[in-house]
Amino acid sequence: MVSSNLDESLTHLKGWDCKTDDNIEQNPIKQKHFVGAFTIIQFHCGGIEFEEVIIYGRVYEVHCDFICEHAYITNHFFHLKPQFCYTLHNQSFISMHLNIYFNQVCKLAFEAYDSDLFQTTIGYSHYAYSLMEQNPNIKDSINYKTLANLYHNLGFCYMKIYEIKKGFYWLKKELDIYLNMPKVKDENLLTCLRFLGYIYYKLRQYDTSIDYCKRALSIWIAKFDINHSQFGHLYTMLGIAYFRTEQFDKGQECFEKSLEIYLK
């Protein structure tokens, strides 16, 4: 196998299962080499099964059985034995028989995000980011709206799987792009500020959470429906942050506003 994420995959609890032949007692990994950002691994075993994993690169099957379940290959799958035999358990298997490009991987990441496949979105998004980092020429041609969406999706997905600090990292990168763009959609900026306000609250940085929530509220009041339940949630979070900083009068005011919205 040739991949940029093999070490991560092989240490993941659900990442792989290796079925060795009876006469093989040694470690199933026969050889491992590093070439740039990629790892090349030869397995000395009769079968490899991958579950809930993305392989960023190529897979070569030579005299073994290759089984995928909720697994993705982002480049080529090569079968190199006379009788082709691999089992596909669902329709999520992707084999792209062409050179992979940044925009193609972004498209896969966005499709996974739209389908609420959070781990898959994270995998494809990181692969797209690694392509950009490895090729400086890509950076100059990237639509920054696409890049902001990529960062946002990463941040949101990490929040959904409760990896708050990782979500914070990518949402901050998204915000940095917005702050340097001449024009930003109010909805995108609002969502980014709201999520960052939530993350700062979870990190117990209540003063900073208050600042981000207030910035989000100012956009919401000026541009969007103030009777929406999410608007009430934002007031509730701001009220709790005020209480945490012992600003009880302001906290009470926020709770009263959120209750008013919920009762409408």
Side-chain angles (χ1 to χ4, degrees), residues 5 8-17 49-56 67-73 89-90 92-93 117-123 161:
N5 71 322
E8 177 184 353
S9 299
L10 297 179
T11 56
H12 194 281
L13 289 177
K14 293 186 177 181
W16 71 303
D17 181 26
E49 180 176 349
F50 289 94
E51 180 182 349
E52 297 182 7
V53 68
I54 297 173
I55 303 301
Y56 302 148
I67 298 175
C68 277
E69 185 166 357
H70 300 286
Y72 297 78
I73 298 173
H89 290 278
N90 67 0
S92 297
F93 184 89
L117 300 173
F118 304 125
Q119 292 283 6
T120 304
T121 301
I122 289 170
I161 63 174

PDB file of all heavy atoms in Angstrom, residues 5 8-17 49-56 67-73 89-90 92-93 117-123 161:
ATOM      1  N   ASN A   5      -1.423   8.248   5.089  1.00  0.00           N
ATOM      2  CA  ASN A   5      -2.028   8.116   6.419  1.00  0.00           C
ATOM      3  C   ASN A   5      -1.946   6.700   6.964  1.00  0.00           C
ATOM      4  O   ASN A   5      -2.722   6.321   7.826  1.00  0.00           O
ATOM      5  CB  ASN A   5      -3.494   8.550   6.375  1.00  0.00           C
ATOM      6  CG  ASN A   5      -4.371   7.555   5.624  1.00  0.00           C
ATOM      7  OD1 ASN A   5      -3.944   6.988   4.623  1.00  0.00           O
ATOM      8  ND2 ASN A   5      -5.575   7.344   6.098  1.00  0.00           N
ATOM      9  N   GLU A   8      -1.310   6.275  10.816  1.00  0.00           N
ATOM     10  CA  GLU A   8      -2.517   6.611  11.574  1.00  0.00           C
ATOM     11  C   GLU A   8      -3.550   5.496  11.455  1.00  0.00           C
ATOM     12  O   GLU A   8      -4.176   5.095  12.434  1.00  0.00           O
ATOM     13  CB  GLU A   8      -3.108   7.922  11.061  1.00  0.00           C
ATOM     14  CG  GLU A   8      -4.406   8.320  11.745  1.00  0.00           C
ATOM     15  CD  GLU A   8      -5.007   9.569  11.132  1.00  0.00           C
ATOM     16  OE1 GLU A   8      -4.351  10.190  10.280  1.00  0.00           O
ATOM     17  OE2 GLU A   8      -6.140   9.908  11.505  1.00  0.00           O
ATOM     18  N   SER A   9      -3.718   4.958  10.246  1.00  0.00           N
ATOM     19  CA  SER A   9      -4.716   3.913  10.026  1.00  0.00           C
ATOM     20  C   SER A   9      -4.388   2.648  10.805  1.00  0.00           C
ATOM     21  O   SER A   9      -5.263   2.014  11.389  1.00  0.00           O
ATOM     22  CB  SER A   9      -4.805   3.581   8.533  1.00  0.00           C
ATOM     23  OG  SER A   9      -5.194   4.707   7.795  1.00  0.00           O
ATOM     24  N   LEU A  10      -3.121   2.285  10.834  1.00  0.00           N
ATOM     25  CA  LEU A  10      -2.730   1.023  11.448  1.00  0.00           C
ATOM     26  C   LEU A  10      -2.780   1.070  12.969  1.00  0.00           C
ATOM     27  O   LEU A  10      -2.781   0.034  13.623  1.00  0.00           O
ATOM     28  CB  LEU A  10      -1.325   0.630  10.989  1.00  0.00           C
ATOM     29  CG  LEU A  10      -1.193   0.371   9.487  1.00  0.00           C
ATOM     30  CD1 LEU A  10       0.234   0.013   9.131  1.00  0.00           C
ATOM     31  CD2 LEU A  10      -2.128  -0.741   9.048  1.00  0.00           C
ATOM     32  N   THR A  11      -2.813   2.268  13.536  1.00  0.00           N
ATOM     33  CA  THR A  11      -2.913   2.372  14.987  1.00  0.00           C
ATOM     34  C   THR A  11      -4.336   2.649  15.439  1.00  0.00           C
ATOM     35  O   THR A  11      -4.617   2.658  16.629  1.00  0.00           O
ATOM     36  CB  THR A  11      -2.010   3.502  15.508  1.00  0.00           C
ATOM     37  OG1 THR A  11      -2.344   4.727  14.849  1.00  0.00           O
ATOM     38  CG2 THR A  11      -0.554   3.187  15.247  1.00  0.00           C
ATOM     39  N   HIS A  12      -5.247   2.870  14.483  1.00  0.00           N
ATOM     40  CA  HIS A  12      -6.639   3.126  14.820  1.00  0.00           C
ATOM     41  C   HIS A  12      -7.312   1.816  15.210  1.00  0.00           C
ATOM     42  O   HIS A  12      -7.128   0.793  14.565  1.00  0.00           O
ATOM     43  CB  HIS A  12      -7.356   3.747  13.616  1.00  0.00           C
ATOM     44  CG  HIS A  12      -8.683   4.348  13.953  1.00  0.00           C
ATOM     45  ND1 HIS A  12      -9.815   3.596  14.118  1.00  0.00           N
ATOM     46  CD2 HIS A  12      -9.042   5.629  14.169  1.00  0.00           C
ATOM     47  CE1 HIS A  12     -10.827   4.390  14.408  1.00  0.00           C
ATOM     48  NE2 HIS A  12     -10.385   5.623  14.446  1.00  0.00           N
ATOM     49  N   LEU A  13      -8.116   1.848  16.262  1.00  0.00           N
ATOM     50  CA  LEU A  13      -8.708   0.613  16.773  1.00  0.00           C
ATOM     51  C   LEU A  13      -9.551  -0.103  15.728  1.00  0.00           C
ATOM     52  O   LEU A  13      -9.556  -1.322  15.640  1.00  0.00           O
ATOM     53  CB  LEU A  13      -9.565   0.923  18.011  1.00  0.00           C
ATOM     54  CG  LEU A  13      -8.793   1.306  19.271  1.00  0.00           C
ATOM     55  CD1 LEU A  13      -9.760   1.648  20.396  1.00  0.00           C
ATOM     56  CD2 LEU A  13      -7.883   0.164  19.708  1.00  0.00           C
ATOM     57  N   LYS A  14     -10.301   0.678  14.927  1.00  0.00           N
ATOM     58  CA  LYS A  14     -11.150   0.074  13.908  1.00  0.00           C
ATOM     59  C   LYS A  14     -10.510   0.140  12.529  1.00  0.00           C
ATOM     60  O   LYS A  14     -11.140  -0.143  11.529  1.00  0.00           O
ATOM     61  CB  LYS A  14     -12.508   0.779  13.873  1.00  0.00           C
ATOM     62  CG  LYS A  14     -13.350   0.567  15.114  1.00  0.00           C
ATOM     63  CD  LYS A  14     -14.726   1.180  14.924  1.00  0.00           C
ATOM     64  CE  LYS A  14     -15.614   0.929  16.125  1.00  0.00           C
ATOM     65  NZ  LYS A  14     -16.957   1.504  15.956  1.00  0.00           N
ATOM     66  N   GLY A  15      -9.257   0.532  12.480  1.00  0.00           N
ATOM     67  CA  GLY A  15      -8.648   0.823  11.192  1.00  0.00           C
ATOM     68  C   GLY A  15      -8.322  -0.379  10.348  1.00  0.00           C
ATOM     69  O   GLY A  15      -8.409  -0.323   9.144  1.00  0.00           O
ATOM     70  N   TRP A  16      -7.977  -1.504  10.980  1.00  0.00           N
ATOM     71  CA  TRP A  16      -7.554  -2.613  10.147  1.00  0.00           C
ATOM     72  C   TRP A  16      -7.598  -3.912  10.922  1.00  0.00           C
ATOM     73  O   TRP A  16      -7.602  -3.944  12.136  1.00  0.00           O
ATOM     74  CB  TRP A  16      -6.152  -2.366   9.607  1.00  0.00           C
ATOM     75  CG  TRP A  16      -5.073  -2.459  10.649  1.00  0.00           C
ATOM     76  CD1 TRP A  16      -4.968  -1.742  11.803  1.00  0.00           C
ATOM     77  CD2 TRP A  16      -3.950  -3.331  10.624  1.00  0.00           C
ATOM     78  NE1 TRP A  16      -3.854  -2.096  12.489  1.00  0.00           N
ATOM     79  CE2 TRP A  16      -3.201  -3.069  11.792  1.00  0.00           C
ATOM     80  CE3 TRP A  16      -3.493  -4.286   9.724  1.00  0.00           C
ATOM     81  CZ2 TRP A  16      -2.031  -3.745  12.080  1.00  0.00           C
ATOM     82  CZ3 TRP A  16      -2.316  -4.947  10.019  1.00  0.00           C
ATOM     83  CH2 TRP A  16      -1.599  -4.678  11.181  1.00  0.00           C
ATOM     84  N   ASP A  17      -7.638  -4.986  10.182  1.00  0.00           N
ATOM     85  CA  ASP A  17      -7.567  -6.322  10.757  1.00  0.00           C
ATOM     86  C   ASP A  17      -6.781  -7.178   9.780  1.00  0.00           C
ATOM     87  O   ASP A  17      -7.126  -7.271   8.606  1.00  0.00           O
ATOM     88  CB  ASP A  17      -8.966  -6.907  10.958  1.00  0.00           C
ATOM     89  CG  ASP A  17      -8.914  -8.295  11.579  1.00  0.00           C
ATOM     90  OD1 ASP A  17      -7.928  -8.575  12.279  1.00  0.00           O
ATOM     91  OD2 ASP A  17      -9.851  -9.071  11.354  1.00  0.00           O
ATOM     92  N   GLU A  49      -8.311  -6.496   5.930  1.00  0.00           N
ATOM     93  CA  GLU A  49      -9.665  -5.955   6.004  1.00  0.00           C
ATOM     94  C   GLU A  49      -9.608  -4.561   6.614  1.00  0.00           C
ATOM     95  O   GLU A  49      -9.027  -4.361   7.676  1.00  0.00           O
ATOM     96  CB  GLU A  49     -10.561  -6.851   6.860  1.00  0.00           C
ATOM     97  CG  GLU A  49     -11.996  -6.331   6.968  1.00  0.00           C
ATOM     98  CD  GLU A  49     -12.891  -7.287   7.737  1.00  0.00           C
ATOM     99  OE1 GLU A  49     -12.439  -8.432   7.988  1.00  0.00           O
ATOM    100  OE2 GLU A  49     -14.005  -6.900   8.079  1.00  0.00           O
ATOM    101  N   PHE A  50     -10.198  -3.593   5.919  1.00  0.00           N
ATOM    102  CA  PHE A  50     -10.242  -2.219   6.408  1.00  0.00           C
ATOM    103  C   PHE A  50     -11.676  -1.853   6.745  1.00  0.00           C
ATOM    104  O   PHE A  50     -12.599  -2.146   5.995  1.00  0.00           O
ATOM    105  CB  PHE A  50      -9.703  -1.247   5.358  1.00  0.00           C
ATOM    106  CG  PHE A  50      -8.225  -1.346   5.162  1.00  0.00           C
ATOM    107  CD1 PHE A  50      -7.700  -2.154   4.178  1.00  0.00           C
ATOM    108  CD2 PHE A  50      -7.358  -0.646   5.980  1.00  0.00           C
ATOM    109  CE1 PHE A  50      -6.335  -2.257   3.991  1.00  0.00           C
ATOM    110  CE2 PHE A  50      -5.990  -0.743   5.807  1.00  0.00           C
ATOM    111  CZ  PHE A  50      -5.478  -1.549   4.812  1.00  0.00           C
ATOM    112  N   GLU A  51     -11.849  -1.191   7.877  1.00  0.00           N
ATOM    113  CA  GLU A  51     -13.174  -0.779   8.322  1.00  0.00           C
ATOM    114  C   GLU A  51     -13.111   0.671   8.779  1.00  0.00           C
ATOM    115  O   GLU A  51     -12.276   1.048   9.597  1.00  0.00           O
ATOM    116  CB  GLU A  51     -13.644  -1.660   9.481  1.00  0.00           C
ATOM    117  CG  GLU A  51     -15.025  -1.283  10.009  1.00  0.00           C
ATOM    118  CD  GLU A  51     -15.429  -2.152  11.187  1.00  0.00           C
ATOM    119  OE1 GLU A  51     -14.732  -3.147  11.437  1.00  0.00           O
ATOM    120  OE2 GLU A  51     -16.419  -1.821  11.835  1.00  0.00           O
ATOM    121  N   GLU A  52     -13.994   1.501   8.216  1.00  0.00           N
ATOM    122  CA  GLU A  52     -14.106   2.904   8.602  1.00  0.00           C
ATOM    123  C   GLU A  52     -12.754   3.610   8.525  1.00  0.00           C
ATOM    124  O   GLU A  52     -12.260   4.177   9.496  1.00  0.00           O
ATOM    125  CB  GLU A  52     -14.696   3.033  10.009  1.00  0.00           C
ATOM    126  CG  GLU A  52     -16.109   2.488  10.111  1.00  0.00           C
ATOM    127  CD  GLU A  52     -16.693   2.656  11.498  1.00  0.00           C
ATOM    128  OE1 GLU A  52     -16.042   3.310  12.325  1.00  0.00           O
ATOM    129  OE2 GLU A  52     -17.786   2.138  11.736  1.00  0.00           O
ATOM    130  N   VAL A  53     -12.147   3.553   7.352  1.00  0.00           N
ATOM    131  CA  VAL A  53     -10.841   4.171   7.184  1.00  0.00           C
ATOM    132  C   VAL A  53     -10.739   4.724   5.769  1.00  0.00           C
ATOM    133  O   VAL A  53     -11.409   4.244   4.852  1.00  0.00           O
ATOM    134  CB  VAL A  53      -9.709   3.149   7.451  1.00  0.00           C
ATOM    135  CG1 VAL A  53      -9.672   2.082   6.389  1.00  0.00           C
ATOM    136  CG2 VAL A  53      -8.356   3.836   7.568  1.00  0.00           C
ATOM    137  N   ILE A  54      -9.944   5.746   5.602  1.00  0.00           N
ATOM    138  CA  ILE A  54      -9.671   6.317   4.288  1.00  0.00           C
ATOM    139  C   ILE A  54      -8.196   6.098   3.978  1.00  0.00           C
ATOM    140  O   ILE A  54      -7.334   6.377   4.805  1.00  0.00           O
ATOM    141  CB  ILE A  54      -9.984   7.821   4.254  1.00  0.00           C
ATOM    142  CG1 ILE A  54     -11.473   8.055   4.512  1.00  0.00           C
ATOM    143  CG2 ILE A  54      -9.587   8.427   2.917  1.00  0.00           C
ATOM    144  CD1 ILE A  54     -11.826   9.509   4.670  1.00  0.00           C
ATOM    145  N   ILE A  55      -7.908   5.571   2.803  1.00  0.00           N
ATOM    146  CA  ILE A  55      -6.534   5.383   2.357  1.00  0.00           C
ATOM    147  C   ILE A  55      -6.209   6.508   1.388  1.00  0.00           C
ATOM    148  O   ILE A  55      -6.783   6.598   0.310  1.00  0.00           O
ATOM    149  CB  ILE A  55      -6.349   4.017   1.664  1.00  0.00           C
ATOM    150  CG1 ILE A  55      -6.769   2.885   2.612  1.00  0.00           C
ATOM    151  CG2 ILE A  55      -4.905   3.830   1.221  1.00  0.00           C
ATOM    152  CD1 ILE A  55      -6.005   2.848   3.906  1.00  0.00           C
ATOM    153  N   TYR A  56      -5.302   7.387   1.778  1.00  0.00           N
ATOM    154  CA  TYR A  56      -4.926   8.512   0.935  1.00  0.00           C
ATOM    155  C   TYR A  56      -3.806   8.071  -0.004  1.00  0.00           C
ATOM    156  O   TYR A  56      -2.638   8.325   0.238  1.00  0.00           O
ATOM    157  CB  TYR A  56      -4.444   9.686   1.785  1.00  0.00           C
ATOM    158  CG  TYR A  56      -5.436  10.176   2.792  1.00  0.00           C
ATOM    159  CD1 TYR A  56      -5.021  10.701   4.007  1.00  0.00           C
ATOM    160  CD2 TYR A  56      -6.799  10.129   2.537  1.00  0.00           C
ATOM    161  CE1 TYR A  56      -5.928  11.163   4.934  1.00  0.00           C
ATOM    162  CE2 TYR A  56      -7.708  10.582   3.461  1.00  0.00           C
ATOM    163  CZ  TYR A  56      -7.271  11.100   4.658  1.00  0.00           C
ATOM    164  OH  TYR A  56      -8.173  11.552   5.577  1.00  0.00           O
ATOM    165  N   ILE A  67     -10.560  -6.585   1.640  1.00  0.00           N
ATOM    166  CA  ILE A  67     -11.960  -6.379   2.011  1.00  0.00           C
ATOM    167  C   ILE A  67     -12.133  -4.968   2.552  1.00  0.00           C
ATOM    168  O   ILE A  67     -11.360  -4.514   3.387  1.00  0.00           O
ATOM    169  CB  ILE A  67     -12.410  -7.402   3.072  1.00  0.00           C
ATOM    170  CG1 ILE A  67     -12.294  -8.824   2.509  1.00  0.00           C
ATOM    171  CG2 ILE A  67     -13.849  -7.130   3.508  1.00  0.00           C
ATOM    172  CD1 ILE A  67     -12.593  -9.898   3.520  1.00  0.00           C
ATOM    173  N   CYS A  68     -13.156  -4.276   2.059  1.00  0.00           N
ATOM    174  CA  CYS A  68     -13.456  -2.922   2.521  1.00  0.00           C
ATOM    175  C   CYS A  68     -14.849  -2.876   3.127  1.00  0.00           C
ATOM    176  O   CYS A  68     -15.791  -3.422   2.559  1.00  0.00           O
ATOM    177  CB  CYS A  68     -13.422  -1.929   1.364  1.00  0.00           C
ATOM    178  SG  CYS A  68     -11.783  -1.350   0.962  1.00  0.00           S
ATOM    179  N   GLU A  69     -14.973  -2.209   4.256  1.00  0.00           N
ATOM    180  CA  GLU A  69     -16.278  -1.932   4.831  1.00  0.00           C
ATOM    181  C   GLU A  69     -16.267  -0.492   5.321  1.00  0.00           C
ATOM    182  O   GLU A  69     -15.525  -0.142   6.231  1.00  0.00           O
ATOM    183  CB  GLU A  69     -16.594  -2.884   5.980  1.00  0.00           C
ATOM    184  CG  GLU A  69     -18.005  -2.692   6.511  1.00  0.00           C
ATOM    185  CD  GLU A  69     -18.445  -3.835   7.411  1.00  0.00           C
ATOM    186  OE1 GLU A  69     -17.671  -4.782   7.572  1.00  0.00           O
ATOM    187  OE2 GLU A  69     -19.559  -3.755   7.928  1.00  0.00           O
ATOM    188  N   HIS A  70     -17.070   0.359   4.693  1.00  0.00           N
ATOM    189  CA  HIS A  70     -17.061   1.794   4.972  1.00  0.00           C
ATOM    190  C   HIS A  70     -15.646   2.349   4.787  1.00  0.00           C
ATOM    191  O   HIS A  70     -15.167   3.144   5.582  1.00  0.00           O
ATOM    192  CB  HIS A  70     -17.562   2.089   6.388  1.00  0.00           C
ATOM    193  CG  HIS A  70     -18.953   1.618   6.632  1.00  0.00           C
ATOM    194  ND1 HIS A  70     -20.058   2.261   6.119  1.00  0.00           N
ATOM    195  CD2 HIS A  70     -19.418   0.553   7.314  1.00  0.00           C
ATOM    196  CE1 HIS A  70     -21.147   1.615   6.495  1.00  0.00           C
ATOM    197  NE2 HIS A  70     -20.789   0.578   7.216  1.00  0.00           N
ATOM    198  N   ALA A  71     -14.966   1.887   3.752  1.00  0.00           N
ATOM    199  CA  ALA A  71     -13.594   2.313   3.500  1.00  0.00           C
ATOM    200  C   ALA A  71     -13.522   3.055   2.176  1.00  0.00           C
ATOM    201  O   ALA A  71     -14.320   2.823   1.276  1.00  0.00           O
ATOM    202  CB  ALA A  71     -12.652   1.113   3.488  1.00  0.00           C
ATOM    203  N   TYR A  72     -12.542   3.943   2.059  1.00  0.00           N
ATOM    204  CA  TYR A  72     -12.403   4.785   0.884  1.00  0.00           C
ATOM    205  C   TYR A  72     -10.955   4.757   0.399  1.00  0.00           C
ATOM    206  O   TYR A  72     -10.028   4.805   1.198  1.00  0.00           O
ATOM    207  CB  TYR A  72     -12.783   6.232   1.206  1.00  0.00           C
ATOM    208  CG  TYR A  72     -14.209   6.409   1.624  1.00  0.00           C
ATOM    209  CD1 TYR A  72     -14.614   6.081   2.914  1.00  0.00           C
ATOM    210  CD2 TYR A  72     -15.163   6.890   0.740  1.00  0.00           C
ATOM    211  CE1 TYR A  72     -15.932   6.232   3.310  1.00  0.00           C
ATOM    212  CE2 TYR A  72     -16.480   7.047   1.123  1.00  0.00           C
ATOM    213  CZ  TYR A  72     -16.863   6.718   2.406  1.00  0.00           C
ATOM    214  OH  TYR A  72     -18.162   6.864   2.800  1.00  0.00           O
ATOM    215  N   ILE A  73     -10.794   4.675  -0.907  1.00  0.00           N
ATOM    216  CA  ILE A  73      -9.473   4.784  -1.516  1.00  0.00           C
ATOM    217  C   ILE A  73      -9.513   5.995  -2.436  1.00  0.00           C
ATOM    218  O   ILE A  73     -10.400   6.112  -3.275  1.00  0.00           O
ATOM    219  CB  ILE A  73      -9.114   3.518  -2.319  1.00  0.00           C
ATOM    220  CG1 ILE A  73      -9.061   2.306  -1.383  1.00  0.00           C
ATOM    221  CG2 ILE A  73      -7.784   3.696  -3.033  1.00  0.00           C
ATOM    222  CD1 ILE A  73      -8.887   1.001  -2.113  1.00  0.00           C
ATOM    223  N   HIS A  89     -18.779  -4.278   0.836  1.00  0.00           N
ATOM    224  CA  HIS A  89     -19.932  -4.428   1.718  1.00  0.00           C
ATOM    225  C   HIS A  89     -20.949  -3.301   1.582  1.00  0.00           C
ATOM    226  O   HIS A  89     -22.058  -3.426   2.059  1.00  0.00           O
ATOM    227  CB  HIS A  89     -19.467  -4.507   3.178  1.00  0.00           C
ATOM    228  CG  HIS A  89     -18.741  -5.781   3.485  1.00  0.00           C
ATOM    229  ND1 HIS A  89     -19.391  -6.953   3.782  1.00  0.00           N
ATOM    230  CD2 HIS A  89     -17.418  -6.065   3.518  1.00  0.00           C
ATOM    231  CE1 HIS A  89     -18.501  -7.910   4.012  1.00  0.00           C
ATOM    232  NE2 HIS A  89     -17.297  -7.393   3.852  1.00  0.00           N
ATOM    233  N   ASN A  90     -20.586  -2.194   0.998  1.00  0.00           N
ATOM    234  CA  ASN A  90     -21.563  -1.119   0.814  1.00  0.00           C
ATOM    235  C   ASN A  90     -21.182  -0.302  -0.412  1.00  0.00           C
ATOM    236  O   ASN A  90     -20.226  -0.607  -1.103  1.00  0.00           O
ATOM    237  CB  ASN A  90     -21.660  -0.235   2.066  1.00  0.00           C
ATOM    238  CG  ASN A  90     -20.375   0.538   2.296  1.00  0.00           C
ATOM    239  OD1 ASN A  90     -19.416   0.431   1.541  1.00  0.00           O
ATOM    240  ND2 ASN A  90     -20.374   1.328   3.342  1.00  0.00           N
ATOM    241  N   SER A  92     -20.201   2.810  -0.439  1.00  0.00           N
ATOM    242  CA  SER A  92     -19.371   3.957  -0.099  1.00  0.00           C
ATOM    243  C   SER A  92     -17.958   3.846  -0.649  1.00  0.00           C
ATOM    244  O   SER A  92     -17.179   4.767  -0.532  1.00  0.00           O
ATOM    245  CB  SER A  92     -19.310   4.119   1.426  1.00  0.00           C
ATOM    246  OG  SER A  92     -20.589   4.378   1.929  1.00  0.00           O
ATOM    247  N   PHE A  93     -17.614   2.708  -1.228  1.00  0.00           N
ATOM    248  CA  PHE A  93     -16.264   2.499  -1.749  1.00  0.00           C
ATOM    249  C   PHE A  93     -16.030   3.411  -2.945  1.00  0.00           C
ATOM    250  O   PHE A  93     -16.836   3.489  -3.857  1.00  0.00           O
ATOM    251  CB  PHE A  93     -16.104   1.038  -2.158  1.00  0.00           C
ATOM    252  CG  PHE A  93     -14.718   0.694  -2.614  1.00  0.00           C
ATOM    253  CD1 PHE A  93     -13.766   0.277  -1.717  1.00  0.00           C
ATOM    254  CD2 PHE A  93     -14.380   0.794  -3.945  1.00  0.00           C
ATOM    255  CE1 PHE A  93     -12.501  -0.053  -2.140  1.00  0.00           C
ATOM    256  CE2 PHE A  93     -13.109   0.470  -4.372  1.00  0.00           C
ATOM    257  CZ  PHE A  93     -12.171   0.042  -3.469  1.00  0.00           C
ATOM    258  N   LEU A 117     -21.454  12.575   7.103  1.00  0.00           N
ATOM    259  CA  LEU A 117     -20.401  11.580   7.336  1.00  0.00           C
ATOM    260  C   LEU A 117     -19.191  12.327   7.898  1.00  0.00           C
ATOM    261  O   LEU A 117     -18.285  12.727   7.169  1.00  0.00           O
ATOM    262  CB  LEU A 117     -20.054  10.857   6.032  1.00  0.00           C
ATOM    263  CG  LEU A 117     -21.205  10.090   5.375  1.00  0.00           C
ATOM    264  CD1 LEU A 117     -20.784   9.569   4.005  1.00  0.00           C
ATOM    265  CD2 LEU A 117     -21.654   8.940   6.266  1.00  0.00           C
ATOM    266  N   PHE A 118     -19.174  12.504   9.201  1.00  0.00           N
ATOM    267  CA  PHE A 118     -18.221  13.418   9.818  1.00  0.00           C
ATOM    268  C   PHE A 118     -16.779  12.916   9.715  1.00  0.00           C
ATOM    269  O   PHE A 118     -15.872  13.673   9.368  1.00  0.00           O
ATOM    270  CB  PHE A 118     -18.605  13.662  11.277  1.00  0.00           C
ATOM    271  CG  PHE A 118     -20.007  14.186  11.441  1.00  0.00           C
ATOM    272  CD1 PHE A 118     -20.914  13.532  12.255  1.00  0.00           C
ATOM    273  CD2 PHE A 118     -20.416  15.320  10.755  1.00  0.00           C
ATOM    274  CE1 PHE A 118     -22.205  14.007  12.391  1.00  0.00           C
ATOM    275  CE2 PHE A 118     -21.711  15.803  10.881  1.00  0.00           C
ATOM    276  CZ  PHE A 118     -22.611  15.144  11.704  1.00  0.00           C
ATOM    277  N   GLN A 119     -16.554  11.642  10.030  1.00  0.00           N
ATOM    278  CA  GLN A 119     -15.197  11.109   9.955  1.00  0.00           C
ATOM    279  C   GLN A 119     -14.687  11.116   8.518  1.00  0.00           C
ATOM    280  O   GLN A 119     -13.514  11.406   8.263  1.00  0.00           O
ATOM    281  CB  GLN A 119     -15.158   9.686  10.525  1.00  0.00           C
ATOM    282  CG  GLN A 119     -15.398   9.598  12.020  1.00  0.00           C
ATOM    283  CD  GLN A 119     -14.163  10.006  12.827  1.00  0.00           C
ATOM    284  OE1 GLN A 119     -13.169  10.464  12.273  1.00  0.00           O
ATOM    285  NE2 GLN A 119     -14.226   9.838  14.130  1.00  0.00           N
ATOM    286  N   THR A 120     -15.560  10.790   7.584  1.00  0.00           N
ATOM    287  CA  THR A 120     -15.164  10.796   6.179  1.00  0.00           C
ATOM    288  C   THR A 120     -14.834  12.209   5.714  1.00  0.00           C
ATOM    289  O   THR A 120     -13.858  12.428   4.989  1.00  0.00           O
ATOM    290  CB  THR A 120     -16.287  10.207   5.308  1.00  0.00           C
ATOM    291  OG1 THR A 120     -16.597   8.900   5.775  1.00  0.00           O
ATOM    292  CG2 THR A 120     -15.865  10.134   3.851  1.00  0.00           C
ATOM    293  N   THR A 121     -15.643  13.169   6.133  1.00  0.00           N
ATOM    294  CA  THR A 121     -15.367  14.568   5.802  1.00  0.00           C
ATOM    295  C   THR A 121     -14.007  14.986   6.326  1.00  0.00           C
ATOM    296  O   THR A 121     -13.222  15.639   5.620  1.00  0.00           O
ATOM    297  CB  THR A 121     -16.452  15.479   6.405  1.00  0.00           C
ATOM    298  OG1 THR A 121     -17.729  15.104   5.896  1.00  0.00           O
ATOM    299  CG2 THR A 121     -16.184  16.940   6.061  1.00  0.00           C
ATOM    300  N   ILE A 122     -13.713  14.615   7.557  1.00  0.00           N
ATOM    301  CA  ILE A 122     -12.424  14.962   8.155  1.00  0.00           C
ATOM    302  C   ILE A 122     -11.279  14.363   7.343  1.00  0.00           C
ATOM    303  O   ILE A 122     -10.283  15.033   7.049  1.00  0.00           O
ATOM    304  CB  ILE A 122     -12.373  14.478   9.622  1.00  0.00           C
ATOM    305  CG1 ILE A 122     -13.308  15.327  10.487  1.00  0.00           C
ATOM    306  CG2 ILE A 122     -10.950  14.538  10.165  1.00  0.00           C
ATOM    307  CD1 ILE A 122     -13.511  14.793  11.890  1.00  0.00           C
ATOM    308  N   GLY A 123     -11.431  13.106   6.945  1.00  0.00           N
ATOM    309  CA  GLY A 123     -10.371  12.447   6.188  1.00  0.00           C
ATOM    310  C   GLY A 123     -10.103  13.116   4.854  1.00  0.00           C
ATOM    311  O   GLY A 123      -8.956  13.445   4.525  1.00  0.00           O
ATOM    312  N   ILE A 161     -17.905  15.332  16.799  1.00  0.00           N
ATOM    313  CA  ILE A 161     -17.328  14.129  17.413  1.00  0.00           C
ATOM    314  C   ILE A 161     -16.628  14.488  18.726  1.00  0.00           C
ATOM    315  O   ILE A 161     -15.822  13.718  19.234  1.00  0.00           O
ATOM    316  CB  ILE A 161     -16.368  13.402  16.453  1.00  0.00           C
ATOM    317  CG1 ILE A 161     -15.170  14.275  16.093  1.00  0.00           C
ATOM    318  CG2 ILE A 161     -17.102  12.953  15.198  1.00  0.00           C
ATOM    319  CD1 ILE A 161     -14.112  13.539  15.266  1.00  0.00           C
TER     320      ILE A 161
END
